[in-house]
């Protein structure tokens, strides 16, 4: 996707199942590893269908 200039985001689901500290730690690890190979990182969004977390972020990015 990145090589072909196709915009995308990384979406993590089930954010209601773990603590915010664990989520932030996981995101930091993903960013650190991806930075080794990517100049610009995609957007990361954590979501939960139970709480609605991330819903507005996804909708605002994908509005047509």
């Amino acid at each position: 996707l990145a090589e072909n200039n196709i915009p995308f985001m990384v979406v993590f689901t089930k954010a209601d199942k773990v603590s915010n500290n664990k989520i932030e730690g996981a995101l930091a690890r993903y960013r650190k590893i991806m930075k080794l190979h990517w100049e610009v990182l995609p957007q990361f969004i954590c979501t939960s269908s139970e709480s609605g977390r991330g819903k507005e972020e996804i909708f605002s990015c994908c509005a047509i």
Side-chain angles (χ1 to χ4, degrees), residues 31-50:
R31 286 185 180 107
K32 182 179 179 181
I33 292 168
M34 289 183 78
K35 275 277 193 193
L36 297 173
H37 304 283
W38 295 54
E39 281 184 38
V40 178
L41 297 181
Q43 181 177 3
F44 289 77
I45 298 176
C46 294
T47 65
S48 167
S49 62
E50 287 185 13

Side-chain angles (χ1 to χ4, degrees), residues 19-64:
S19 71
N20 283 337
N21 287 340
K22 284 191 176 187
I23 291 171
E24 292 306 318
L27 291 176
R29 287 189 298 278
Y30 271 93
R31 286 185 180 107
K32 182 179 179 181
I33 292 168
M34 289 183 78
K35 275 277 193 193
L36 297 173
H37 304 283
W38 295 54
E39 281 184 38
V40 178
L41 297 181
Q43 181 177 3
F44 289 77
I45 298 176
C46 294
T47 65
S48 167
S49 62
E50 287 185 13
S51 69
R53 179 179 179 173
K55 180 178 170 180
E56 292 303 318
E57 290 175 89
I58 290 175
F59 288 157
S60 69
C61 290
C62 301
I64 298 175

